Amino acid sequence: MSETSNKSLEKRTYGTELGFLTRAVHTGNDVDSETGAIKRPIVMANSYELPYDPTDLNWSEAGKNLYTRNGGANQQYLQDKLASLEGGEDCICLASGVGALSGLFFALLNTGDHVVFSNVTYIAVYRLLTELLNKKFGVETTIVDTTDLEAVRAAIRPNTKLVHIETPGNPTISISDIEEIVRIAHEHHALLSVDNTFASPYNQRPIELGADFSIESLTKYINGHGDAMGGAIIGKKEYLDIIRAQSQINLGATISPFNAWLIMRGAVTLPLRMRQHNSNALALAHYLESLPCVSFVAYPGLESHKGHFIAKKQMPGGYGGVISFGLKADHDTHNKFVSHLQVITSAVSLGHDESLIVFLGENDERQYLYPAEFHNGFFRFSVGIEDEADLIEDIRQALEKTGLL
Ligand SMILES: *Cc1c(COP(=O)(O)O)cnc(C)c1O
């Protein structure tokens, strides 16, 4: 390699004086010092060469190139990018979104600690907090409607260690006020974690609003292509070091280097994809709201949404790509409608490039936690980045064939 090309081999830093789009492209990606390649390679090795005298090495230490469960090159590149995009000091990437959630809860909660958490959360959060950590390890939990600040305040106890919220919440798209809940949690010396998966850091950055942790299922918008699983916790290094030691190294939810590389690649176009998700979802929400056969539409970009003004304040990038809505129809008519969709696919998950729809809620054990309009079954619709007109037409023709239009 020539002398002149070597200047680019120094690690470049992309500080927050650079914009979100620039950092989405560049942060975590440097010229590879071995080959001069301008994209980082995938390092699949399980193990790294030891120093001359390895006797003093701590086998449970993170952050050194030692063994891939302790941390690897591709994981580190992705962590650098996500810490920057979320505006946090440090980041840990793990094998899935649930790996990140359980990693946080397991490392920070002890027997006798109390957690307050949203009535609307990812199902695994509900299981982890009300069943596993509660019954196996004696962690106390209270479920509250976190759209109600007085209810949050009333639920706090002297031993409350953590408040965990999800906003927008899966699946009812409820909006909780991050800044107000930060204030309540911190007044009582509790930490606040926010599951930011539905918004992504393009639309909402909880750490900048004062939250202690932002959690992402990277499986969703950040990877964005529906082909790799991962999770991330962003927050202060003092806490992330504990989570890394306990939950990554000793519970073992390490992300595969290949998945970290795929997600790194997907994350580059996060801002462009989110703009299209945001604008498509807003158009689809307005369309659905205009139809007489639709019983309700929950989307924070609609003025009819109870959390619209809070969303407007805390989601400057847009309102995300997920809509929940109901049809005035019986059980089988819902299935018929889905069977007539041509562009939109019936599948779980969300935040993929393609539109996905799932019929939920008819027999949901957590129904008692949701508003009444969600009790008779509803759709969670993850609006993709296809042409807006094609998505509207797909819904129109499926409703027509089902006899609802
Ligand atoms: C999907 C999802 C998770 C879990 O993520 P996985 O990557 O599937 O483990 C957590 N929180 C929310 C809000 C999600 O939508």
Side-chain angles (χ1 to χ4, degrees):
M1 213 169 296
S2 74
E3 277 292 301
T4 47
S5 69
N6 280 343
K7 71 174 186 345
S8 59
L9 297 183
E10 290 158 28
K11 192 169 158 68
R12 290 184 278 181
T13 53
Y14 303 97
T16 44
E17 73 283 0
L18 292 170
F20 191 93
L21 279 76
T22 306
R23 286 180 283 132
V25 172
H26 288 285
T27 309
N29 188 58
D30 270 308
V31 173
D32 177 46
S33 57
E34 173 80 16
T35 60
I38 65 165
K39 289 288 173 201
R40 295 281 210 195
I42 311 174
V43 181
M44 290 298 288
N46 289 347
S47 208
Y48 293 80
E49 190 185 38
L50 292 172
Y52 171 75
D53 182 0
T55 44
D56 288 339
L57 275 179
N58 175 359
W59 303 110
S60 300
E61 195 173 331
K64 279 214 179 74
N65 286 350
L66 174 68
Y67 184 58
T68 296
R69 183 161 34 72
N70 301 49
N74 295 95
Q75 181 186 1
Q76 188 58 51
Y77 306 149
L78 180 60
Q79 288 172 172
D80 290 347
K81 190 187 289 297
L82 296 178
S84 169
L85 296 183
E86 296 269 351
E89 185 180 293
D90 194 4
C91 173
I92 304 178
C93 289
L94 293 167
S96 67
V98 168
L101 288 158
S102 60
L104 177 93
F105 299 149
F106 183 89
L108 297 185
L109 299 171
N110 292 307
T111 302
D113 286 341
H114 176 241
V115 183
V116 173
F117 74 102
S118 297
N119 56 333
V120 182
T121 59
Y122 194 70
I123 182 79
V125 168
Y126 179 79
R127 296 250 178 275
L128 277 161
L129 292 176
T130 57
E131 293 170 18
L132 299 178
L133 285 164
N134 178 271
K135 299 200 174 110
K136 283 177 185 272
F137 302 112
V139 171
E140 299 170 19
T141 56
T142 306
I143 303 176
V144 294
D145 174 358
T146 51
T147 66
D148 177 351
L149 297 173
E150 282 320 304
V152 177
R153 196 183 299 279
I156 302 267
R157 299 180 192 164
N159 58 338
T160 304
K161 180 89 170 276
L162 181 73
V163 177
H164 176 78
I165 63 172
E166 195 172 300
T167 183
N170 185 2
T172 69
I173 327 292
S174 58
I175 299 293
S176 301
D177 190 322
I178 299 172
E179 277 179 309
E180 291 297 329
I181 297 173
V182 164
R183 194 165 303 144
I184 297 168
H186 287 181
E187 263 170 33
H188 296 86
H189 308 289
L191 298 164
L192 177 69
S193 58
V194 179
D195 187 327
N196 200 39
T197 301
F198 268 43
S200 92
Y202 180 74
N203 286 338
Q204 169 175 283
R205 290 185 286 283
I207 305 244
E208 291 178 0
L209 300 171
D212 298 284
F213 307 102
S214 179
I215 314 257
E216 297 281 356
S217 165
L218 305 175
T219 314
K220 313 294 173 51
Y221 289 106
I222 292 180
N223 178 55
H225 295 74
D227 53 12
M229 298 196 98
I233 309 164
I234 298 92
K236 287 210 178 74
K237 189 174 178 326
E238 69 176 289
Y239 296 112
L240 266 61
D241 279 343
I242 300 169
I243 300 169
R244 205 174 268 119
Q246 294 194 18
S247 300
Q248 178 176 315
I249 300 171
N250 291 312
L251 289 179
T254 309
I255 191 166
S256 109
F258 184 56
N259 281 8
W261 180 86
L262 277 173
I263 295 166
M264 180 86 176
R265 190 178 197 269
V268 167
T269 54
L270 175 73
L272 305 182
R273 289 184 286 103
M274 287 319 297
R275 285 176 183 171
Q276 184 73 6
H277 285 294
N278 291 339
S279 86
N280 276 357
L282 188 61
L284 268 291
H286 281 300
Y287 173 66
L288 288 165
E289 208 173 35
S290 76
L291 300 173
C293 61
V294 169
S295 57
F296 76 93
V297 183
Y299 183 67
L302 294 176
E303 285 187 16
S304 59
H305 191 282
K306 188 179 149 219
H308 177 65
F309 288 99
I310 298 165
K312 205 168 172 175
K313 172 182 78 163
Q314 70 189 18
M315 303 180 78
Y319 302 103
V322 189
I323 299 171
S324 288
F325 69 95
L327 287 181
K328 295 174 189 160
D330 63 15
H331 179 86
D332 198 48
T333 308
H334 285 101
N335 293 332
K336 266 195 202 125
F337 163 68
V338 170
S339 76
H340 289 304
L341 292 168
Q342 306 287 323
V343 178
I344 302 161
T345 304
S346 173
V348 296
S349 200
L350 54 107
H352 295 192
D353 42 17
E354 66 184 300
S355 293
L356 303 174
I357 198 163
V358 57
F359 183 52
L360 292 171
E362 263 183 327
N363 300 310
D364 189 333
E365 68 189 285
R366 293 187 298 163
Q367 214 169 66
Y368 74 99
L369 297 168
Y370 303 155
E373 63 266 30
F374 289 89
H375 292 190
N376 300 317
F378 62 94
F379 289 104
R380 189 188 66 198
F381 178 20
S382 171
V383 183
I385 59 174
E386 300 96 334
D387 284 289
E388 173 192 313
D390 292 338
L391 296 176
I392 289 178
E393 175 54 21
D394 198 31
I395 293 206
R396 196 205 60 76
Q397 63 80 32
L399 289 172
E400 193 175 62
K401 285 186 187 141
T402 315
L404 287 166
L405 272 193

